[in-house]
Amino acid sequence: MKKVFSLLSVAAVLFVFTFYIDGEIGVILAAFILFSAAISVLFAFFGRKRITVSFDCDGYVKKGAPLTVNVTVEKQGGFPLGIVSIKTASDAVFGGSEKTFRLSLAGKNQKKFSYTVDALTGGNGEISVVSVHSSGFMGFVGFRITEKLPKPKSVGVIPEIPKIRSSSMLFRDIADSVITSDDESSADSAMLYSANTAPGYDHREYVQGDPLKRVNWKLSVKKDKLMVRLDEASASVQPVVMLDLYRDKNADPNQAIVAEERLICAVFGLITLLIEQGVASTFVYYGAGGELTAESVESPDHPSQLLLKVLAEKVVPERRIKLHSVSACACLIASTDISGEIAEMVSQLEDKDSALILGVSADSRNDSGLPMWYLDDDNNFRV
């Protein structure tokens, strides 16, 4: 629309000048403008094959901080180019903004510029170049460049993980399940010991080379030194936390990312509290390449590492976490959508009494048949 208005303005000025001021000079001006426009179109047309654009930015940024995007524009050959028009975009995590930049490559073969976008919501965001046009030096006509546009960049926006108090009822429920299962495993091992005169569930001090998955963190905290189990009984004692970032394909992106951020904050606040209190857990999520991944959270630095892995992956619409046969003292299913299929997911658990449901808010629809927990604005888990 702006280009049409500009052309009409130039035509109006030429008309007035030619017919009401000086006809001869007006004709010369009209010829000059038409000649310049033709040359500008030629510059734009032939320049479309000689322009390449690339950009780069950090892979992670904290929520509330600006992300700097560095763009490089290059031309091939010495033939001058007119105006290059570059349109960039960011998704809902960065506010869904679009920006247009125009620059000239008349005297240089390469130019660089930077711009910033604000990280507004925690989650996985995307920065992209959506179009590049060669517009000639008058800028009236633009031709899309023939080179492929750079691939979008995935950016993880790191939210502030809330500090959950150990008095939280959800934590206490999970911890009680762990203690009960631990006591049962110890009792079973004692029977094995008396029957087979060989230790079935014992500990020794950690030595270099022992797998970390066999460290008993609760006992290690009590004894102030790392203790490892001598068998594999610890697996069933660990609670399982499953992160289900389900997004409906028709959902409003702005509402979806807010719900996903709230759930991520609640889940990582919980597993951070668990490990701080000496309770190791198994975290199930969609990791690199969209693979369903289960990792043991066994040390204080594991939650932050896992958070970066979760934020590195884009949420795929209509994708649910997949449950098969899960055997654990407690299984927490944290989902942005606890409706419909969630009841079927719960039915696949070996022990439904061990299942816990974590939703986004008190208003979340719950079809699981189980009480639903959520994290309130005061960072307290409520049911």
Side-chain angles (χ1 to χ4, degrees):
M1 192 63 183
K2 291 181 179 179
K3 292 181 179 179
V4 174
F5 180 76
S6 299
L7 287 171
L8 292 176
S9 299
V10 171
V13 170
L14 286 174
F15 179 82
V16 172
F17 196 90
T18 302
F19 291 98
Y20 295 98
I21 300 178
D22 191 324
E24 185 177 349
I25 298 298
V27 171
I28 294 174
L29 286 175
F32 176 76
I33 290 176
L34 290 174
F35 177 76
S36 299
I39 297 298
S40 176
V41 170
L42 289 175
F43 273 39
F45 181 77
F46 290 106
R48 78 192 195 284
K49 296 182 179 180
R50 300 189 295 112
I51 301 172
T52 57
V53 176
S54 60
F55 74 99
D56 197 13
C57 60
D58 291 336
Y60 296 94
V61 62
K62 287 188 176 181
K63 178 184 176 181
L67 174 71
T68 300
V69 183
N70 303 306
V71 183
T72 302
V73 185
E74 296 180 283
K75 73 171 183 178
Q76 301 170 357
F79 190 78
L81 295 177
I83 305 299
V84 179
S85 178
I86 303 170
K87 180 181 287 187
T88 65
S90 57
D91 66 5
V93 168
F94 296 99
S97 60
E98 290 188 351
K99 297 185 178 183
T100 301
F101 304 92
R102 294 180 176 87
L103 65 155
S104 171
L105 289 174
K108 294 183 179 181
N109 286 342
Q110 183 187 87
K111 278 193 176 181
K112 297 182 179 181
F113 67 91
S114 299
Y115 69 96
T116 60
V117 292
D118 293 326
L120 303 179
T121 311
N124 179 271
E126 189 174 86
I127 305 295
S128 60
V129 173
V130 295
S131 68
V132 180
H133 289 84
S134 173
S135 302
F137 55 83
M138 294 188 71
F140 287 146
V141 179
F143 297 95
R144 187 181 293 270
I145 66 171
T146 57
E147 291 289 330
K148 289 184 178 180
L149 297 178
K151 292 182 178 180
K153 301 287 186 182
S154 176
V155 181
V157 178
I158 306 172
E160 187 71 27
I161 302 302
K163 184 72 174 178
I164 310 297
R165 291 189 289 269
S166 58
S167 59
S168 168
M169 288 302 298
L170 178 59
F171 165 74
R172 293 174 64 180
D173 281 0
I174 294 175
D176 289 345
S177 299
V178 172
I179 293 172
T180 302
S181 298
D182 211 2
D183 291 341
E184 291 174 355
S185 298
S186 298
D188 293 342
S189 298
M191 293 179 63
L192 286 172
Y193 182 81
S194 62
N196 301 321
T197 66
Y201 193 79
D202 207 350
H203 298 83
R204 63 167 169 78
E205 192 170 348
Y206 174 87
V207 295
Q208 188 172 0
D210 285 337
L212 286 177
K213 69 177 183 178
R214 296 177 62 183
V215 173
N216 186 330
W217 294 99
K218 288 194 301 179
L219 185 62
S220 299
V221 170
K222 292 178 183 179
K223 291 184 173 290
D224 199 24
K225 57 184 178 181
L226 288 178
M227 303 295 294
V228 296
R229 287 183 170 91
L230 296 183
D231 66 354
E232 297 297 333
S234 61
S236 63
V237 176
Q238 288 191 358
V240 174
V241 179
M242 313 189 79
L243 180 61
D244 180 40
L245 297 176
Y246 178 84
R247 183 187 297 184
D248 189 279
K249 63 182 179 181
N250 299 318
D252 180 355
N254 294 296
Q255 295 179 3
I257 60 172
V258 170
E260 289 157 9
E261 179 190 28
R262 288 179 63 90
L263 190 69
I264 289 172
C265 289
V267 167
F268 279 92
L270 177 63
I271 63 175
T272 299
L273 174 61
L274 286 171
I275 201 64
E276 287 176 350
Q277 297 298 317
V279 180
S281 61
T282 299
F283 181 60
V284 182
Y285 67 104
Y286 278 106
E291 294 292 328
L292 191 61
T293 306
E295 293 192 37
S296 187
V297 187
E298 300 176 329
S299 64
D301 60 338
H302 277 180
S304 58
Q305 295 172 6
L306 288 171
L307 176 60
L308 296 182
K309 292 181 180 180
V310 169
L311 297 177
E313 291 301 310
K314 195 171 184 64
V315 175
V316 178
E318 303 292 325
R319 183 179 66 181
R320 281 273 189 197
I321 204 80
K322 294 179 180 178
L323 288 179
H324 297 292
S325 178
V326 178
S327 177
C329 59
C331 180
L332 177 70
I333 303 173
S335 179
T336 50
D337 179 33
I338 313 175
S339 62
E341 298 173 335
I342 203 74
E344 182 181 350
M345 293 171 63
V346 172
S347 68
Q348 296 179 30
L349 296 173
E350 288 187 2
D351 183 8
K352 298 180 183 61
D353 292 336
S354 69
L356 298 165
I357 299 294
L358 179 63
V360 174
S361 68
D363 299 327
S364 299
R365 176 181 170 182
N366 180 13
D367 294 338
S368 67
L370 298 172
M372 182 194 71
W373 294 86
Y374 69 97
L375 187 67
D376 67 12
D377 294 334
D378 296 322
N379 296 331
N380 293 318
F381 283 111
R382 300 189 180 278
V383 65

